[in-house]
Amino acid sequence: MATSTDPGPPTPSTDPASTDPASADAAPDPASTDPAPDAASADPAVTAAAGGPARPGAPRPGVRPAALPGRYLLWLGGVQIGLLGDAALYFALGWAASAHGGGAAGLVLTAITLPRTALVLLGGAVADRFGARRVMLVGDTVMLAATLALAGVASGRGASLGLLVAAAAVIGTVDAFYLPASGSMPRRLVGADRLPRALALRQAGGQVAALFGAPLGGVLVALGGLSGAALADALSFGVVLLVLLRVRPAEAAPARPAGASGLLREAAAGVRLAAGDPLLRASLLLTGAAAGALLPVVSLLVPLLARARDWGAGAAGLVGGGEGAGVLVVAALVAWRGGLRRAGVGAAAGLCTASAGIALLAWAPGGPVGDAPVLGGAVPGAVVAVAGGVVLGAGAGLFACHIGPLVLGAAPSTHLSRVQAVLTLVQSGALVLSTGLLGVLADAAGARPPALLCALATGAAGLAAFASPTLRRA
């Protein structure tokens, strides 16, 4: 549940990175340890005109990257705690739903994704109109109450299917408003020159939560069932609320009251902006291609390949772990040293690298060889597959750490949350469409053809990005 943790931070912004005019919420933060802006760190795209885009940059050669703002790090710590709590509850919900059968588990997942996808554009308009921090505070408060209620009901009556579907619907609805708001926060707190490092650090934290969230959820379910996992997530929402009360970004006050029709027009304006800006349009199209071709590989195709090649469940798990390790290493390096000076080139290179990793997975040999019970017996095939997973993860991490600053930096400060909403919609739509098509193809032709198709599509997207003047110069 990206609700409590997803990708934002902070009190009145004194950070030069903020592009929003200060509002009543923006009183100076006495705890801020951020240094005053200087000629090296000030972003001319930010200071030239309020509301203009802040193009991401990289530190000049030989110049030590500036430290990330203390407020951002504080918020990011709260986000990390929330992500762990969310991942644990996601595992618990899936485990409880599986007791009712596969159809029930699919229904619970649909109850999350359907309202999230249907309402996310409206959620972005609400966050831009009323303030991202206010939306996040309301969302965390609702989720705190919802998880406490879930813990109480599950403890007394058990995890009925109706309870699981209701909880999932609440999560998806809150996510639709929370994700665009929280996704805009790094831009509100961090200067353009530090934005790639800030987003890379968040990417690394998200990967850590993904790696440890499910095991934590398993322990919580073993100790206290769904109720125990819900209580733990409620605690994480409480922590995020405390952090948000301490840290707040500078945000523009609403210029006029907005009714339901006004919000719908503003949501449509966000779509028009994303479609009309050349850099945003190219970045979002590239993101959609990556979401459709990359994301289903580990979740859908790796288990199918492992079964078809007799690698065993252990090898499939190691492939997923290798992919996560590749993302984590690249994200940590970018967070430490900064990204490439040409973010579009970095994103394109990431997709081409990921394409090579998927191809390794697709062509990894199968069949039991030797005696290796942990890897299911298929030593050579499993080793190649795990190597492919690492290469895939490194490419995916390189892509994510460079495309994120492009999208966030290209959006005007008045449309930050709405652009994030469009980004979420593009990713979700591409993933839903490609997952279904790849599954049908796998049933008809086996696991290798869809994997090769993903490799070709990812590589073609990377080469198209290299060929695009807009992305190549970004």
Side-chain angles (χ1 to χ4, degrees):
M1 244 171 313
T3 335
S4 71
T5 69
D6 201 354
T11 20
S13 181
T14 57
D15 191 306
S18 176
T19 59
D20 295 330
S23 66
D25 283 342
D29 183 359
S32 176
T33 58
D34 300 343
D38 54 30
S41 63
D43 182 9
V46 177
T47 56
R55 304 298 183 186
R60 296 190 301 273
V63 177
R64 184 178 180 181
L68 293 174
R71 292 175 306 182
Y72 180 74
L73 296 177
L74 174 61
W75 170 78
L76 199 60
V79 163
Q80 188 65 28
I81 293 173
L83 280 174
L84 281 171
D86 286 349
L89 183 58
Y90 264 134
F91 175 87
L93 285 173
W95 181 262
S98 66
H100 298 277
L107 179 62
V108 171
L109 291 176
T110 302
I112 295 176
T113 57
L114 186 60
R116 178 193 292 166
T117 303
L119 297 174
V120 68
L121 292 179
L122 179 61
V126 168
D128 278 336
R129 167 56 60 181
F130 299 105
R133 177 175 174 269
R134 293 185 180 93
V135 170
M136 292 163 66
L137 285 170
V138 172
D140 285 323
T141 301
V142 170
M143 288 306 304
L144 175 60
T147 48
L148 287 175
L150 175 61
V153 175
S155 177
R157 301 181 182 178
S160 67
L161 180 58
L163 175 64
L164 298 176
V165 171
V170 171
I171 292 168
T173 301
V174 174
D175 274 358
F177 292 86
Y178 198 98
L179 292 179
S182 61
S184 72
M185 285 298 133
R187 166 77 184 276
R188 302 180 191 276
L189 298 169
V190 178
D193 59 327
R194 292 177 281 181
L195 191 58
R197 293 175 56 234
L199 292 178
L201 186 60
R202 181 174 146 200
Q203 175 83 15
Q207 194 62 46
V208 170
L211 289 174
F212 292 101
L216 175 62
V219 171
L220 291 172
V221 168
L223 295 176
L226 176 61
S227 180
L231 282 175
D233 200 24
L235 178 62
S236 75
F237 282 112
V239 171
V240 176
L241 272 173
L242 291 177
V243 169
L244 283 175
L245 290 173
R246 180 63 191 88
V247 187
R248 67 179 79 172
E251 294 182 309
R256 58 177 176 77
S261 60
L263 286 172
L264 292 177
R265 286 196 297 270
E266 291 177 15
V271 176
R272 288 195 299 271
L273 170 73
D277 182 274
L279 181 55
L280 277 176
R281 181 173 63 248
S283 300
L284 290 169
L285 287 173
L286 192 63
T287 301
L294 280 180
L295 296 183
V297 172
V298 173
S299 61
L300 174 67
L301 298 181
V302 166
L304 295 176
L305 285 168
R307 289 182 179 276
R309 310 290 171 78
D310 294 325
W311 294 340
L318 285 177
V319 172
E323 188 264 351
V327 173
L328 182 58
V329 168
V330 171
L333 286 174
V334 175
W336 177 39
R337 297 300 301 171
L340 299 179
R341 297 192 65 80
R342 297 291 185 183
V345 172
L351 289 182
C352 291
T353 303
S355 174
I358 301 172
L360 275 176
L361 282 170
W363 288 109
V369 179
D371 183 15
V374 174
L375 298 179
V379 177
V383 170
V384 174
V386 172
V390 173
V391 175
L392 165 60
L398 188 63
F399 170 77
C401 289
H402 286 88
I403 200 68
L406 277 184
V407 174
L408 197 53
S413 63
T414 52
H415 292 67
L416 288 178
S417 297
R418 277 172 283 180
V419 170
Q420 288 297 299
V422 176
L423 177 65
T424 301
L425 186 63
V426 167
Q427 290 175 316
S428 299
L431 179 60
V432 169
L433 179 62
S434 68
T435 299
L437 293 177
L438 290 171
V440 171
L441 180 59
D443 285 340
R448 175 175 283 175
L452 290 174
L453 180 61
C454 286
L456 289 173
T458 303
L463 293 176
F466 274 124
S468 166
T470 300
L471 290 171
R472 192 172 62 250
R473 298 167 186 165

